[in-house]
Amino acid sequence: MTLVEIISSVLITIAIVFGNIAGVGGAGMIVPVLLLGFSLEILQASALSNFLICVGFVLRFYFNYYDRHPTKDKPVIDYDTASLMLPASLLGTKFGVIIHDIFPRSVLFILLTVTLLYLSYSSYASGRKLSEAEDRAVKEEKANPMIALTHMTADDLNSSTSLLDTNKKRIREIEEEEARRIPPKKTILMLVLFLLMMVSIAIEGSQSLPSLVGIKLCSSGYWVSFFDYIVICALMVYINARDINALAMEKRLLGIKLTEDEVDWTWPKIMEYSMYGLSLIHICRCRRYAVCRSRWSPYH
């Protein structure tokens, strides 16, 4: 390894460490280092960056699995966000592969640069907002120690005579559901989506791995499987978005307050997080479309 590659490896390690600490992955730092330090192409750098981030997130999930939220009786892992962004992310990957084959590499470079700049700014803005909220909460708590009770629990409602017993029961049910280490419905949906992805890969095949059912690349059966997968991913995005939006509305009606780091799942916020999942950061090289390129793109 050359000196530049050694320095680049150190920088990538630092990017992964701080990216996992901040919860942003670090793609905005890893991709430029791979481009400059290892002289990789844009698509190769994106694919390798996704792999490195995936490994880091798996390890982080393992270490955070037993951690609890600092102010609420719930896991520190936000399964609402995961259940919304996972199908959107897989959907974005499918579209990213097509976009890679349609547009020239100069356009791909511009799209990737704009996406990385936007994600970097968004991460900075979110981190600054959270930091300011934490500082404000600390000051308020010092001024009034009782301000630490930032959310309404079932115990608080026992002394309230203005709410109906049915509301009290429903708040308890919500709190018990949030306290579960692994929410069953969201976990099942994500596992089903993962199995669906594996089935789709087995059916569609690629140049290096032929289809297990004998479907040829770019045949009618191939495109049926391809678009069926897209429809199912989009449907899962909608189902998860509808469920978390309905729960957020119910919390507002019941008077359950959110902490500073919780997301109020309004439809604009849901669209924002879905777009993160559909981000063009998923533009990566995929050899399965090499046979089809000449049919739709003059650039490859």
Side-chain angles (χ1 to χ4, degrees), residues 125-139 260:
S126 298
R128 183 176 179 180
K129 181 179 178 181
L130 183 58
S131 178
E132 292 175 351
E134 290 176 349
D135 293 340
R136 185 170 60 253
V138 170
K139 292 179 181 179
E260 293 288 350

Side-chain angles (χ1 to χ4, degrees), residues 13-66:
T13 303
I14 295 174
I16 294 175
V17 170
F18 284 99
N20 274 276
I21 292 175
V24 296
M29 296 177 284
I30 295 175
V31 173
V33 174
L34 290 173
L35 292 174
L36 299 175
F38 292 91
S39 301
L40 298 180
E41 295 184 0
I42 299 174
L43 306 174
Q44 294 173 330
S46 299
L48 183 56
S49 172
N50 287 337
F51 173 76
L52 294 174
I53 292 172
C54 177
V55 173
F57 278 160
V58 169
L59 293 175
R60 189 182 182 195
F61 174 81
Y62 172 77
F63 288 115
N64 291 342
Y65 177 73
Y66 293 101

Side-chain angles (χ1 to χ4, degrees), residues 119-271:
L119 292 177
S120 299
Y121 170 77
S122 178
S123 299
Y124 167 76
S126 298
R128 183 176 179 180
K129 181 179 178 181
L130 183 58
S131 178
E132 292 175 351
E134 290 176 349
D135 293 340
R136 185 170 60 253
V138 170
K139 292 179 181 179
E140 292 175 350
E141 185 176 349
K142 289 180 178 180
N144 182 6
M146 294 302 294
I147 201 68
L149 300 176
T150 56
H151 67 284
M152 184 178 294
T153 64
D155 293 335
D156 298 326
L157 293 175
N158 287 334
S159 60
S160 175
T161 58
S162 61
L163 295 177
L164 300 175
D165 291 339
T166 54
N167 289 354
K168 298 179 184 179
K169 180 180 179 181
R170 179 54 184 154
I171 290 176
R172 290 192 184 95
E173 291 176 352
I174 292 175
E175 290 178 349
E176 291 174 358
E177 179 66 25
E178 289 183 342
R180 292 187 177 185
R181 194 178 303 278
I182 297 181
K185 182 179 179 180
K186 295 183 179 65
T187 304
I188 291 174
L189 285 176
M190 287 188 283
L191 288 176
V192 169
L193 188 61
F194 176 77
L195 292 175
L196 177 65
M197 178 187 67
M198 300 303 295
V199 171
S200 176
I201 294 174
I203 292 177
E204 295 174 11
S206 64
Q207 281 190 322
S208 58
L209 180 65
S211 169
L212 296 182
V213 294
I215 292 179
K216 296 182 179 179
L217 287 175
C218 298
S219 64
S220 57
Y222 175 87
W223 290 114
V224 168
S225 172
F226 180 87
F227 286 108
D228 282 348
Y229 180 82
I230 289 179
V231 170
I232 293 175
C233 285
L235 183 61
M236 284 195 169
V237 171
Y238 170 74
I239 292 174
N240 291 325
R242 181 197 61 189
D243 290 345
I244 64 177
N245 176 258
L247 182 59
M249 292 180 61
E250 189 176 13
K251 286 182 178 180
R252 288 194 291 270
L253 292 175
L254 293 172
I256 301 177
K257 296 181 180 180
L258 301 177
T259 57
E260 293 288 350
D261 60 340
E262 289 185 301
V263 180
D264 186 11
W265 290 109
T266 60
W267 278 111
K269 185 63 68 173
I270 288 173
M271 293 298 297

